Each structure stands twice: as C-alpha cells, then as structure tokens.
Amino acid sequence: MAEVQSATDGKPRFSRILLKLSGEALAPAQGSGLDLDALAEIALEIKEVASLGVQLAMVIGAGNYIRGSDYEARGMDRSHRRPDGHARDGDQRPRAANALEHVGVVTRVLSAIEMQALCEPYIRRRAVRHLEKGRVIIFAAGTGNPYFTTDTAASLRAMEIGAEVILKASHTVDGVYDRDPVREPGAKRFDRLTYIEVLQKNLKVMDSTAISMCMDNRLPIIVFNLRKRVI
C-alpha cells in the first residue's frame, strides 16, 4: 500500500485512512472461502503501514462467500441475506484480526450488530479512541442493514471516523477502467475522475450510493492493485 507514502520524503501522505478490502481478495485461486496465505501477506502490508504512524481502519467484503446480487439472480429476496452475511462477518473479521495480531498489530473488531462473543459493538467515539491509541480497526457487519453494500459501509465509516481517504483495494486491476480490462485488454484506464464522471459513466469502482456519499463529503478515493507492490 505504497499509496500511503509520499513520493519525496517517505512520510505518510495521510494520517487516518479507511482501507476497503474486497472479499474476493481473500479468496483462494479456485472456489470460495478464505485463503490464509493471502490473509497473512495482507497482514504484513498493513503492519508496514501502521508502523508509519498511520491510523488505519478496514472494511472487508464477503464476496468470497456470497454476494447479494447472486441471491437476486436466483430470484431470492435480498433482505434475507442479512443473517447469512452477518454470520460470515462474525467468522471472517475476527480471523483477519487474528492474522494481524499474529504479526504484532493490535486490533479491534467493531460490529454494526451485536455479537458480544466475537467483537465490540460499533460506537463512533470508541472507534476514534482505538485509532488514537494506534490500534487497527476492522468494521464488521457492514452498516447492519440489508441492501447497503460494504462499499457504502466503508464510505459511511470513513466519514464517521474522520478518515482523509478511502483506499479501495482491487485484486485484479490497478485503477479505474471504462470496461473490465481482464476480459477486454483494450479497456481505457483513467488517471483521475470526478465523482460525477464515475456516476455518469456508470463505472463499477464502487456502488453509486458510496460514490454519492463521498462526493457530498469530498472524501477522495484511491483505487490500487493489492497484488502489485509499488516501490
């Protein structure tokens, strides 16, 4: 996550960031579930960023298990996904915290719904206090509501904790394109976009609700490839 560092003096560009990590980035090469090796690698990168004195919070998707759009494609009521999604949250986020703790990073998992045996309830002032104490926060259970994606949860939490930027980690691309560059090699990469351009072009970098929230609050978004290290 070299985007955090300045290109000139190596000092952090941001003091408080929200990392949005897709569930697919944690999935095995084949199938669904959790790739513990990938999780361990990500934990080491997060440790490196935290060692710079950057206050870091995370929102992790659950697409490595199931996506709400998959429910809808099968004609199911998407609102029924909520208990299953929260169950996955209760399993995946503490595992991510454990991987971070294993490499020496002090973490806290804060959930939008009550899961006392696994994590703390989300309270904004408590979250900010954890950051001030140098702890890495993992936000679980999204916003606690159906239909709102983890992209929207990331935008909401970023604004609540006063993050200076959202770092959107992709496991396949190194930025925003007009088409899927994996399927279409001729896709155009954008160096810089306004929020309105993202919405007008219907670019799938984040869902429209998340983009609109960031636009209203002037919260920048940086998209980068999690698998590509920038020197």
Side-chain angles (χ1 to χ4, degrees):
M1 292 189 291
E3 290 77 7
V4 175
Q5 286 187 301
S6 168
T8 55
D9 56 12
K11 294 181 180 180
R13 294 172 57 189
F14 310 105
S15 60
R16 182 176 294 174
I17 65 176
L18 189 293
L19 172 64
K20 172 56 174 67
L21 188 64
S22 70
E24 290 91 336
L26 299 177
Q30 300 295 329
S32 61
L34 189 62
D35 184 338
L36 297 180
D37 289 334
L39 183 58
E41 291 179 9
I42 293 169
L44 289 173
E45 288 213 37
I46 290 173
K47 177 182 180 179
E48 185 178 334
V49 172
S51 70
L52 298 173
V54 176
Q55 297 177 9
L56 192 149
M58 300 171 59
V59 171
I60 308 173
N64 50 325
Y65 289 105
I66 190 68
R67 301 184 66 88
S69 56
D70 294 333
Y71 270 78
E72 291 183 323
R74 294 177 179 270
M76 300 179 186
D77 186 347
R78 189 170 178 178
S79 62
H80 290 168
R81 178 180 179 269
R82 181 181 176 186
D84 179 64
H86 290 162
R88 293 304 184 188
D89 268 342
D91 175 54
Q92 182 157 274
R93 281 43 171 191
R95 288 192 182 186
N98 186 56
L100 288 166
E101 296 276 1
H102 182 70
V103 296
V105 179
V106 180
T107 66
R108 292 292 186 274
V109 180
L110 277 63
S111 174
I113 62 170
E114 188 173 338
M115 291 187 283
Q116 290 184 355
L118 295 171
C119 49
E120 301 176 19
Y122 169 70
I123 300 172
R124 188 190 67 82
R125 288 185 177 181
R126 180 181 292 179
V128 171
R129 186 59 176 157
H130 284 320
L131 290 171
E132 291 172 345
K133 286 180 174 289
R135 299 162 182 161
V136 171
I137 294 176
I138 302 175
F139 292 120
T143 66
N145 301 287
Y147 295 99
F148 290 92
T149 69
T150 49
D151 282 344
T152 299
S155 300
L156 175 63
R157 296 290 183 247
M159 287 178 282
E160 288 179 321
I161 65 173
E164 298 169 321
V165 65
I166 292 179
L167 298 183
K168 167 77 171 178
S170 170
H171 63 295
T172 55
V173 298
D174 59 350
V176 182
Y177 290 76
D178 62 346
R179 292 163 291 160
D180 184 352
V182 176
R183 297 180 180 178
E184 302 183 57
K188 176 186 175 182
R189 183 181 184 277
F190 299 100
D191 292 327
R192 195 178 187 89
L193 286 161
T194 65
Y195 307 104
I196 288 295
E197 287 173 331
V198 173
L199 295 172
Q200 289 178 339
K201 296 176 185 294
N202 195 29
L203 302 175
K204 302 301 183 181
V205 55
M206 295 177 81
D207 70 72
S208 58
T209 303
I211 294 296
S212 296
M213 291 175 66
C214 290
M215 177 176 64
D216 291 343
N217 293 273
R218 298 183 179 180
L219 181 65
I221 305 165
I222 297 176
V223 181
F224 70 102
N225 190 328
L226 186 66
R227 306 295 189 189
K228 182 180 179 181
R229 189 172 184 87
V230 181
I231 305 300

